[in-house]
């Protein structure tokens, strides 16, 4: 464990800065899960605490790149290599400062193969996103960092001041940006999937694509019951009762008092027109439903299926 932030000690707090935070001391913690203990190490190469850095591990070696120093408000181009040796007795933790680091904070790392990673997103300044992506290649006692072809970012991503996301594995990154706050629904977000994978036709060529998968207004979004993505065939739950209670009738759309949305879809169904409240963000004034193709087919409530 390394880096992060913590609240200032209570003895140093004031009324105006009671919730102020500071970078954690530059200690490296080695955690032993077998015996449930942790040991801290002070390494002379690590002089400052860092937050929001990027870390990549391979076998017994961890590489730390970038990061943000709260004390100096800079994102230095750091590159540290920390090696952990576990001989009989006391573990040994060694740190080496390497050249060729990158200045970035809050970036996302995704792994494309055993020895290759891609760094996506993050910030190079407080109000400036890092729009380039970096390829990190690891080998025995070596690391190489190079820029890859810049993705064809959409105008929404280019003009947004902030972005966030997470690694989805297999070279795929999930990105999100806030929607236009001038819209009626300011909480709307845009979400994208960025794929960094190898083209089967050429081992050296990379394919990077992004696609928008959300709408500007959640009221215009496709409801659960109309999405083909949520049609499935399930054998896990058996339903009792006559099929006439499990049949959705489109003719009843205008009269929600008798519409198929208020059916008893399963023995454990507790959806009641008089007590029902929205369970998902897509449920506006009626419960979300999905079509189960088991048997003759029937509609069931999404929340009754724990979806």
């Amino acid at each position: 464990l390394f880096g992060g932030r913590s609240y200032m000690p209570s003895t140093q707090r004031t009324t105006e800065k009671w919730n102020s935070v500071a970078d954690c001391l530059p200690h490296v913690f080695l955690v032993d899960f077998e015996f449930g203990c942790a040991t801290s190490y002070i390494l002379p190469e690590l002089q400052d605490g860092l937050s929001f850095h990027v870390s990549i591990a391979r076998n017994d070696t961890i590489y730390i790149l970038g990061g943000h120093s709260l004390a100096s408000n800079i994102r230095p181009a750091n590159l540290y290599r920390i090696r952990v040796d576990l001989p009989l007795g006391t573990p040994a933790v060694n740190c080496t400062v390497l050249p060729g680091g990158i200045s970035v904070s809050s970036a996302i790392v995704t792994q494309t193969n055993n020895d290759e990673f891609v760094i996506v997103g993050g910030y190079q300044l407080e109000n400036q996103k890092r729009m380039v992506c970096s390829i990190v290649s690891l080998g025995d006692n070596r690391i190489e960092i190079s820029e890859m072809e810049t993705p064809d970012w959409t105008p929404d991503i280019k003009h947004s001041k902030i972005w966030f996301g997470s690694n989805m594995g297999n070279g795929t990154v999930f990105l999100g940006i806030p929607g236009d706050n001038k819209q009626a629904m300011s909480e709307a977000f845009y979400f994208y999937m960025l794929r960094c994978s190898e083209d089967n036709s050429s081992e050296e060529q990379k394919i990077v694509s992004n696609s928008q998968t959300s709408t500007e207004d959640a009221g215009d979004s496709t409801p659960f019951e109309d999405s083909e993505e949520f049609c499935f065939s399930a054998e896990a739950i058996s339903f009792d009762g006559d099929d006439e209670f499990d049949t959705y009738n489109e003719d009843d759309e205008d009269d929600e008092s008798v519409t198929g949305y208020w059916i008893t879809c399963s023995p454990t169904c507790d959806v009641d027109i008089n007590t029902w409240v929205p369970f998902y963000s897509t449920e506006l004034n009626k419960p979300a439903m999905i079509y189960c193709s088991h048997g003759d087919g029937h509609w069931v409530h999404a929340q009754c299926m724990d979806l």
Side-chain angles (χ1 to χ4, degrees), residues 8 24 50 62 69 89 91 129 131 154 162 164 166 174-175 177 197 223 234 252 254 262 268 274 281 292 297:
M8 296 179 60
C24 293
L50 290 174
I62 303 100
S69 174
K129 303 193 304 296
M131 305 300 294
T154 65
I162 63 174
F164 54 91
S166 179
F174 187 70
L175 291 173
I177 62 173
S197 58
D252 294 334
D254 296 332
W262 310 110
T268 59
N274 299 313
S281 60
C292 177

Side-chain angles (χ1 to χ4, degrees), residues 3-130:
R5 288 177 180 167
S6 64
Y7 284 109
M8 296 179 60
S10 58
T11 55
Q12 301 178 15
R13 297 187 188 183
T14 62
T15 303
E16 293 79 11
K17 297 182 179 180
W18 185 257
N19 291 325
S20 298
V21 294
D23 290 320
C24 293
L25 295 175
H27 293 177
V28 174
F29 292 87
L30 189 62
V31 182
D32 191 323
F33 291 102
E34 182 178 358
F35 296 99
C37 60
T39 306
S40 64
Y41 296 83
I42 300 177
L43 305 178
E45 294 81 6
L46 300 175
Q47 296 294 327
D48 300 314
L50 290 174
S51 305
F52 309 116
H53 57 270
V54 173
S55 60
I56 298 175
R58 183 179 187 269
N59 298 330
D60 59 355
T61 303
I62 303 100
Y63 294 94
I64 296 175
L65 299 90
H68 178 254
S69 174
L70 190 62
S72 57
N73 192 26
I74 61 173
R75 291 163 175 81
N78 293 324
L79 178 54
Y80 300 107
R81 180 180 63 207
I82 297 178
R83 178 164 292 142
V84 180
D85 294 324
L86 299 175
L88 294 177
T90 304
V93 180
N94 300 304
C95 181
T96 304
V97 180
L98 302 177
I102 58 176
S103 176
V104 66
S105 64
S106 302
I108 306 167
V109 178
T110 184
Q111 187 169 5
T112 53
N113 58 50
N114 291 337
D115 300 318
E116 187 174 277
F117 301 79
V118 176
I119 299 177
V120 178
Y123 301 85
Q124 58 189 34
L125 294 174
E126 183 175 356
N127 295 318
Q128 183 177 352
K129 303 193 304 296
R130 187 175 188 268

Side-chain angles (χ1 to χ4, degrees), residues 35 55 68 70 124 136 182 216 222 225 230 260 262 276 296:
F35 296 99
S55 60
H68 178 254
L70 190 62
Q124 58 189 34
V136 180
K182 296 180 181 179
E216 296 181 359
T222 305
E225 62 274 12
F230 292 95
W262 310 110
W276 175 82
D296 295 332

Side-chain angles (χ1 to χ4, degrees), residues 75-243:
R75 291 163 175 81
N78 293 324
L79 178 54
Y80 300 107
R81 180 180 63 207
I82 297 178
R83 178 164 292 142
V84 180
D85 294 324
L86 299 175
L88 294 177
T90 304
V93 180
N94 300 304
C95 181
T96 304
V97 180
L98 302 177
I102 58 176
S103 176
V104 66
S105 64
S106 302
I108 306 167
V109 178
T110 184
Q111 187 169 5
T112 53
N113 58 50
N114 291 337
D115 300 318
E116 187 174 277
F117 301 79
V118 176
I119 299 177
V120 178
Y123 301 85
Q124 58 189 34
L125 294 174
E126 183 175 356
N127 295 318
Q128 183 177 352
K129 303 193 304 296
R130 187 175 188 268
M131 305 300 294
V132 298
C133 301
S134 298
I135 299 177
V136 180
S137 301
L138 301 182
D140 294 335
N141 200 30
R142 69 170 181 84
I143 178 173
E144 296 179 359
I145 305 174
S146 59
E147 288 189 6
M148 66 183 300
E149 183 180 353
T150 304
D152 185 16
W153 302 116
T154 65
D156 293 324
I157 292 181
K158 291 181 180 179
H159 298 142
S160 176
K161 293 183 178 180
I162 63 174
W163 56 357
F164 54 91
S166 179
N167 175 31
M168 297 182 64
N170 298 324
T172 302
V173 171
F174 187 70
L175 291 173
I177 62 173
D180 188 355
N181 55 15
K182 296 180 181 179
Q183 298 176 2
M185 184 177 180
S186 60
E187 294 81 10
F189 292 87
Y190 298 95
F191 294 103
Y192 301 82
M193 289 180 62
L194 178 69
R195 295 182 175 88
C196 309
S197 58
E198 293 187 356
D199 187 1
N200 294 331
S201 60
S202 174
E203 294 183 357
E204 297 180 356
Q205 182 179 1
K206 300 293 181 181
I207 296 178
V208 181
S209 61
N210 50 5
S211 58
Q212 180 176 340
T213 59
S214 70
T215 57
E216 296 181 359
D217 191 344
D220 296 331
S221 61
T222 305
F224 240 1
E225 62 274 12
D226 293 335
S227 175
E228 295 181 358
E229 294 179 1
F230 292 95
C231 292
F232 72 107
S233 177
E235 300 286 344
I237 299 180
S238 60
F239 302 96
D240 297 329
D242 297 332
D243 288 342

Side-chain angles (χ1 to χ4, degrees), residues 272-291:
D272 188 289
I273 189 174
N274 299 313
T275 61
W276 175 82
V277 293
F279 193 79
Y280 302 102
S281 60
T282 54
E283 296 177 328
L284 301 178
N285 49 27
K286 55 191 177 183
M289 300 185 72
I290 59 176
Y291 184 77

